[in-house]
Amino acid sequence: MSENPTDQIEESTSNERRFDQARWTTNGTYEPLLSEKNRTDIEIDAEAAGLPDELTRDSLSLPSLAESELARHYTRLSQHTYGITSGPYPLGSCTMKYNPPYTEDVAALPGASVHPDRDEGTVQGTLELLYRLQDYLGRIGGMDAVTLQPPAGAAGEFVGIRVATAYHEHNGDGNRDEVIIPESAHGTNFATAALGGYDVVSLPSDDAGRVDLEALEAALSEKTAALMLTNPNTLGLFERDIEQIAEMVHDVGGLLYYDGANLNALLGRARPGDMGFDVMHYNVHKTFATPHGGGGPGAGPVGVVEELAPFLPAPRVRPVDDDESTADVRGDDLATSSTGATYELFDPEYTIGKVHGFQGNWLVLVKAFAYIARLGDEGLADASAKAVLNANYLGSRIDYEIPYGPFHHEFVASAGDQDAADVAKRMLDYGVHPPTTKWPEIVPQALMTEPTEVESKETLDQLAAAFDAVAREADETLEGSPNRTTARRIDQTSAARNPRLSWHALTETED
Amino acid sequence: MHGSRTTGSPYAPHTEAETSAMLAELGVESVEALFDIPEPVRFDDSFGIDARSERETRRLLESILDRNDDLTELLGRGHYSYYVPSLVDHLSDRSEFLTSYTQYQPEVSQGFLQVLFEYQSILVELTGLEIANCSMYDAASALGEAATLADRLRQVSGTTVLVPDILQSGKRSTLENYVDGTALSVESYPTADATVDVDALTDRLDEDVVMVYAENPTVRGTIDPNLGSIGDVTTDADALFVLGSDPIALSLLERPADVGADVVIGDASVLGLPTSYGMGLGLFATREEFLRQVPGRLVGVSEDDDDRRAFTLTLQTREQHIRRERATSNICTNQAWVALRTAIHAAMLGPGGMVDLAKRDVRRARELAERIDELDGVSAPVHDRHHLREFVAQVDRSANTVARELEDHGFAIHVVDDREIQLCVSGATDDELDDFVAAFEEVVR
């Protein structure tokens, strides 16, 4: 074998396309900063604006470049960025699906952009779309009422927790100060419960990777405000005892919260509402293929059972008259046009108020609606089917051990004696975005893998080949990777030890 | 199959032969066998949602959104739209940007990380504060995060957050939800002529106050002449001074660092987003001494194995995925792509363009106020202040009636109360403002 680790890929997967990410360099750096191309200082002439001097700043210093140069700068930077259109992206729990571009086009329709303070009579299109999306999500989750306001999944969790607080307080039951969360849950669950003022009770898993019912029994009490759970859980396992779990939580007067991060595994096969969940959030950017945008925006609509509907954020949308035209929406049909019904905003009776200055991430909601309307029942159910098929197929093809199963849309493999973070870096050399690493901690050196429904058998075979090639590689090869990416291994420790968070900080360092 | 209705996900690429081969490999007869769901909780009904072709889906969305009236919006009050150049759309829609996720693997994410680093840098220049995070949801949630920051920094000494009595209701309500789980409570302080009444604020300040929030410009469009005094009295009271603003205003108005601001929050989407029904981008900048308590993501500089400068997410031990219930915030998915759009828009304008835009809207707000002030039955602006973008006007007729009749002429405006309206110039062209004055003249008569 060659000493150059990049050549080894050529040998191990000689029949496959070699991956090389773009690498633009100038004077020893990757693409220079805008500020290194130009810094222009502007003195502020307050008088020219008709303002007294003391109301304005003295100067402003920012880059000033020609449009053509900016086009090249950002194009090069996009080439330094790996997205789902670059290649497979099996990042566990993040549900990185292909994003069909028509959703961008409908979100850019002229009618889609209106000011949030418009009189409701003049934005009937916006309200109709919001209402129909509420309705779609209610049906998909088995929930009685939905708010679209939360601008992300964690914001949806926050609404769920605030609704739980308001509900308990309304019932004269405001002394509940604990939220129970499985130790394998998403970190947002813990942070959200703490933000809501609750003490977190961490729940261990049983030997099979599911909720330990005895531990749950011990954790539940009259102090329990809610149990936060995702199903399938983060190991991809369905919590088979969910009915019993719901009963146990409800018996002590607590609420059962569903974290919708893994809903893609269940579409058309099970619904949180039917399992006994009282409140849930939907990650529309995961389940319904709205682009993740490098970390957002997303949207985290929240669905609740009827008893909790009066506490939802304000305002919500409803038809003015529940007449035949809106009944069409509930029954849906092959309609390719508006219902023509009239919609209005209203404040739920005991609303918690608002969690966003206006109505949330509207453009994301448009994309989610378009995606659901395109797929319909069969498409949504098929998405789940193929997501589960793909995860199981990929899981069966890799050499790494998968300690827990049977799993649904994702699995957590163990890198064993290898360091999962190094495995991830090496996978980048194969043109594959690696799995989520080292989480959940139940699995040592975890590789949490979620291929989603959009990968073909051929791609899954390539993915499996990448996993297996890395599994056979020596530690020094892994530690010396990646080599075919824009940047080579980045020293994250020194970035934290010596934080330089703006180009101003860089200039100061250089001085 | 192409162009017609499909009965499966159009984005699952499997042929029947491939599906069969995969099932055979797994040793099961159907996909259903892979679902480990107990019978009692299985869903065997349908949602009642029909599939549509892409063309039909677009037609459906067009027909729904066509119902929105095409009005010229003279609306602001915390959410402003400016013309977004085409290049912003085309560059931000490059699919690598659009379809990537959080940059957990920095080696393949250098481009997006660099854009976010540049976004942070632009905010540092605009605010004069040392650090800015790379986005929160919107101004309202950023205000809530500022309050929880104040709680972490000064939790022993007080429990009151003070906000202006004219604060936009969505911001106030969001803030109250954020602080409900803490020991903090929100109270108002009085304003005079829609800016801070410094004497009244000073009287109100005591050791129980942990944070004072003020805005520049305010929700009424007024420019506050007393920011330095607010900073002084707030610092004397050992409270955090949080200032609300936005990138266009910050390019012209007093630099927050120079007036003693500890935190700047606001909506940065004035650059980069159309009105978007209020979708935003929360900006959050603060002093370096609060670095370990800052909410949200931060992009920093490091080096790679080739000793080249490289960017990475940093100080993640503050974040929820590592620190869980001890995190500085629960935010995970943020507004990264909107921050990218804002950064591109700011770069296109450059410092001259940004300052010109702000000056333009000082001038245009003044000119519009002067023009309608000449009309019978109108007095504008109501507040004896300098304004940016928007102002309040008094009308003799019912404000609601004026607003409804203006709608018939194709204009949307705010109603403040029975006899007061509010007008914002940022979203309108000069020609549209001329048309508005003509329509307004008819309506207020």
Side-chain angles (χ1 to χ4, degrees):
Chain A
M1 276 209 164
S2 158
E3 283 181 15
N4 183 343
T6 57
D7 293 340
Q8 290 172 19
I9 302 173
E10 211 65 33
E11 292 165 20
S12 61
T13 58
S14 56
N15 61 337
E16 288 167 20
R17 191 184 302 120
R18 178 186 154 117
F19 172 76
D20 286 285
Q21 194 177 21
R23 185 182 293 186
W24 294 89
T25 58
T26 305
N27 298 331
T29 61
Y30 303 115
E31 175 67 8
L33 290 162
L34 287 174
S35 58
E36 292 164 334
K37 299 183 175 190
N38 175 275
R39 275 287 280 277
T40 300
D41 288 304
I42 300 283
E43 277 190 37
I44 307 293
D45 179 0
E47 237 172 81
L51 293 178
D53 246 357
E54 60 269 22
L55 292 189
T56 61
R57 60 191 295 148
D58 299 331
S59 63
L60 181 67
S61 174
L62 288 171
S64 179
L65 288 97
E67 182 167 330
S68 54
E69 183 49 37
L70 289 174
R72 288 175 182 151
H73 177 70
Y74 290 108
T75 299
R76 287 191 285 264
L77 292 181
S78 74
Q79 291 166 343
H80 284 180
T81 304
Y82 187 99
I84 188 69
T85 49
S86 310
Y89 216 129
L91 194 65
S93 221
C94 298
T95 314
M96 292 297 290
K97 296 186 188 185
Y98 170 72
N99 307 115
Y102 76 90
T103 64
E104 296 304 312
D105 291 343
V106 293
L109 287 170
S113 208
V114 293
H115 191 282
D117 285 346
R118 281 268 292 261
D119 182 68
E120 56 197 68
T122 71
V123 289
Q124 284 296 304
T126 296
L127 298 189
E128 176 175 341
L129 192 142
L130 290 172
Y131 177 76
R132 292 176 68 149
L133 181 57
Q134 283 176 190
D135 178 55
Y136 276 170
L137 294 177
R139 292 190 229 180
I140 290 167
M143 289 286 160
D144 296 321
V146 173
T147 173
L148 303 173
Q149 192 175 119
E157 292 175 20
F158 186 49
V159 166
I161 287 296
R162 294 286 304 126
V163 163
T165 304
Y167 170 78
H168 290 311
E169 284 177 356
H170 181 78
N171 293 336
D173 202 8
N175 292 327
R176 296 174 181 272
D177 58 2
E178 292 179 353
V179 170
I180 304 172
I181 306 172
E183 61 188 10
S184 63
H186 300 107
T188 49
N189 288 181
F190 300 88
T192 300
L195 178 60
Y198 288 96
D199 294 331
V200 173
V201 178
S202 188
L203 192 64
S205 305
D206 66 15
D207 292 344
R210 295 186 173 80
V211 168
D212 184 323
L213 293 181
E214 282 181 27
L216 176 62
E217 185 66 50
L220 287 165
S221 73
E222 73 283 355
K223 294 163 84 176
T224 305
L227 167 66
M228 299 178 85
L229 200 62
T230 186
N231 195 16
N233 64 26
T234 53
L235 295 167
L237 314 180
F238 196 87
E239 298 283 358
R240 296 187 196 123
D241 299 319
I242 188 61
E243 283 187 299
Q244 193 180 341
I245 292 169
E247 196 179 325
M248 289 165 70
V249 173
H250 291 153
D251 278 350
V252 301
L255 296 174
L256 190 57
Y257 181 92
Y258 182 81
D259 177 332
N262 296 341
L263 187 65
N264 198 48
L266 294 185
L267 296 169
R269 282 178 182 73
R271 307 194 301 176
D274 302 336
M275 295 178 209
F277 286 93
D278 304 294
V279 49
M280 68 175 290
H281 79 263
Y282 306 77
N283 298 82
V284 297
H285 47 291
K286 295 181 181 179
T287 313
F288 305 117
T290 45
H292 286 53
V302 167
V304 294
V305 294
E306 201 172 357
E307 297 91 312
L308 298 179
F311 303 95
L312 286 176
R316 294 182 59 229
V317 185
R318 67 186 172 198
V320 171
D321 300 307
D322 204 6
D323 59 17
E324 284 178 19
S325 55
T326 53
D328 282 350
V329 179
R330 297 234 172 82
D332 208 29
D333 52 21
L334 292 176
T336 51
S337 63
S338 154
T339 63
T342 308
Y343 298 89
E344 64 182 0
L345 297 169
F346 73 102
D347 289 356
E349 191 174 4
Y350 307 116
T351 180
I352 61 165
K354 293 177 76 78
V355 292
H356 186 270
F358 296 98
Q359 286 275 50
N361 280 338
W362 155 255
L363 294 179
V364 178
L365 300 173
V366 176
K367 296 175 196 181
F369 176 83
Y371 184 81
I372 296 171
R374 167 92 175 91
L375 266 67
D377 279 351
E378 298 89 346
L380 293 168
D382 188 56
S384 273
K386 298 292 167 48
V388 172
L389 175 65
N390 278 4
N392 277 275
Y393 178 75
L394 180 61
S396 77
R397 299 268 289 138
I398 67 172
D399 285 346
Y400 289 113
E401 187 201 352
I402 302 168
Y404 296 100
F407 51 81
H408 285 84
H409 64 302
E410 65 189 2
F411 60 82
V412 183
S414 173
D417 294 337
Q418 293 178 321
D419 185 299
D422 288 339
V423 168
K425 296 302 178 198
R426 183 57 172 158
M427 287 187 79
L428 295 171
D429 278 337
Y430 291 85
V432 170
H433 194 287
T436 299
T437 57
K438 300 197 173 182
W439 182 79
E441 288 160 1
I442 305 170
V443 175
Q445 300 300 334
L447 298 166
M448 186 189 210
T449 311
E450 181 184 10
T452 82
E453 67 273 18
V454 303
E455 303 302 346
S456 66
K457 178 175 177 295
E458 184 186 5
T459 304
L460 295 171
D461 289 339
Q462 287 168 5
L463 256 173
F467 267 101
D468 290 349
V470 176
R472 291 192 298 272
E473 287 179 328
D475 286 349
E476 48 270 34
T477 304
L478 304 191
E479 286 161 15
S481 64
N483 300 282
R484 293 177 168 184
T485 48
T486 300
R488 300 217 22 228
R489 184 79 68 104
I490 294 170
D491 181 357
Q492 293 183 272
T493 310
S494 82
R497 194 170 292 147
N498 173 26
R500 289 169 292 166
L501 306 174
S502 71
W503 60 48
H504 305 78
L506 285 182
T507 315
E508 284 158 20
T509 310
E510 283 156 16
D511 290 348
Chain B
M1 171 174 150
H2 293 283
S4 62
R5 276 179 206 111
T6 62
T7 55
S9 165
Y11 312 111
H14 312 61
T15 64
E16 279 185 30
E18 284 164 346
T19 302
S20 301
M22 291 165 76
L23 291 170
E25 175 87 18
L26 292 169
V28 293
E29 287 193 358
S30 75
V31 178
E32 299 312 318
L34 300 172
F35 282 86
D36 178 30
I37 301 174
E39 188 61 42
V41 295
R42 279 198 197 179
F43 176 72
D44 49 15
D45 202 349
S46 77
F47 302 138
I49 304 171
D50 285 313
R52 296 166 178 83
S53 68
E54 183 177 311
R55 179 178 178 165
E56 287 168 333
T57 306
R58 285 181 71 138
R59 176 72 197 103
L60 171 65
L61 270 289
E62 282 163 3
S63 78
I64 293 173
L65 293 171
D66 273 353
R67 295 186 67 194
N68 285 343
D69 294 348
D70 183 16
L71 301 179
T72 299
E73 296 172 338
L74 276 69
L75 299 170
R77 302 203 69 158
H79 188 76
Y80 307 99
S81 74
Y82 286 85
Y83 174 74
V84 179
S86 290
L87 189 67
V88 174
D89 288 331
H90 285 268
L91 291 174
S92 65
D93 274 356
R94 285 187 65 88
S95 67
E96 301 92 331
F97 287 143
L98 195 60
T99 73
S100 59
Y101 190 43
T102 305
Q103 299 76 22
Y104 294 126
Q105 299 292 341
E107 292 84 0
V108 285
S109 312
Q110 283 301 293
F112 213 124
L113 286 164
Q114 182 167 335
V115 177
L116 294 175
F117 182 83
E118 293 181 345
Y119 166 82
Q120 291 174 180
S121 304
I122 291 167
L123 293 187
V124 165
E125 171 61 27
L126 287 169
T127 60
L129 297 171
E130 295 92 357
I131 50 173
N133 75 19
C134 63
S135 84
M136 320 236 62
Y137 306 131
D138 71 339
S141 59
L143 176 59
E145 299 274 7
T148 61
L149 172 72
D151 187 46
R152 288 192 296 278
L153 295 174
R154 290 168 162 78
Q155 54 191 342
V156 237
S157 57
T159 58
T160 304
V161 171
L162 290 181
V163 299
D165 56 8
I166 54 171
L167 185 64
Q168 188 253 0
S169 62
K171 270 190 197 138
R172 167 96 188 209
S173 185
T174 303
L175 172 63
E176 283 176 347
N177 266 313
Y178 266 85
V179 304
D180 193 80
T182 70
L184 301 178
S185 61
V186 181
E187 287 181 27
S188 295
Y189 63 82
T191 49
D193 249 342
T195 54
V196 176
D197 181 336
V198 181
D199 290 339
L201 173 65
T202 309
D203 288 345
R204 176 62 191 82
L205 281 171
D206 57 28
E207 61 192 15
D208 192 48
V209 176
V210 290
M211 171 180 147
V212 173
Y213 178 63
E215 294 185 335
N216 196 39
T218 69
V219 68
R220 302 271 171 94
T222 51
I223 299 170
D224 200 311
N226 296 312
L227 294 178
S229 306
I230 301 166
D232 289 343
V233 297
T234 304
T235 304
D236 289 346
D238 192 31
L240 211 61
F241 178 22
V242 178
L243 185 66
S245 194
D246 66 82
I248 291 175
L250 288 168
S251 67
L252 176 65
L253 302 183
E254 283 181 281
R255 215 169 63 127
D258 296 339
V259 297
D262 299 298
V263 180
V264 176
I265 64 108
D267 206 308
S269 70
V270 289
L271 294 176
L273 272 191
T275 47
S276 307
Y277 201 49
M279 179 166 159
L281 163 59
L283 81 81
F284 195 103
T286 188
R287 298 188 181 283
E288 197 158 24
E289 62 186 289
F290 304 146
L291 179 60
R292 307 280 162 175
Q293 294 297 332
V294 167
R297 295 214 172 97
L298 297 169
V299 176
V301 167
S302 189
E303 288 77 35
D304 72 0
D305 277 352
D306 285 340
D307 295 325
R308 289 184 206 274
R309 182 180 66 203
F311 302 94
T312 180
L313 296 178
T314 193
L315 298 162
Q316 291 183 74
T317 50
R318 301 164 299 110
E319 292 190 63
Q320 40 69 34
H321 66 282
I322 292 179
R323 189 58 63 87
R324 307 214 295 189
E325 68 267 37
R326 293 183 302 283
T328 53
S329 166
N330 73 333
I331 194 169
C332 177
T333 295
N334 56 23
Q335 304 286 106
W337 183 70
V338 187
L340 176 142
R341 291 179 60 96
T342 294
I344 298 174
H345 194 170
M348 286 190 69
L349 289 169
M354 287 177 66
V355 173
D356 284 350
L357 209 49
K359 283 182 178 173
R360 186 197 72 154
D361 277 358
V362 169
R363 174 180 57 79
R364 295 200 317 155
R366 181 187 301 120
E367 286 174 0
L368 182 61
E370 284 169 359
R371 289 171 76 182
I372 66 171
D373 189 52
E374 287 172 11
L375 304 176
D376 287 341
V378 182
S379 172
V382 164
H383 301 296
D384 183 21
R385 297 287 182 215
H386 291 284
H387 291 77
L388 174 62
R389 285 194 285 254
E390 59 191 331
F391 61 89
V392 176
Q394 193 171 48
V395 288
D396 286 352
R397 296 187 69 198
S398 148
N400 273 319
T401 308
V402 168
R404 294 297 82 80
E405 290 181 14
L406 278 169
E407 266 172 32
D408 295 338
H409 285 82
F411 296 95
I413 64 163
H414 293 288
V415 172
V416 177
D417 64 20
D418 291 353
R419 291 284 182 264
E420 285 184 343
I421 59 168
Q422 187 167 336
L423 303 173
C424 177
V425 299
S426 73
T429 64
D430 288 341
D431 285 348
E432 285 169 335
L433 292 181
D434 289 343
D435 292 344
F436 170 76
V437 172
F440 192 65
E441 191 168 1
E442 277 190 46
V443 165
V444 292
R445 229 178 247 153

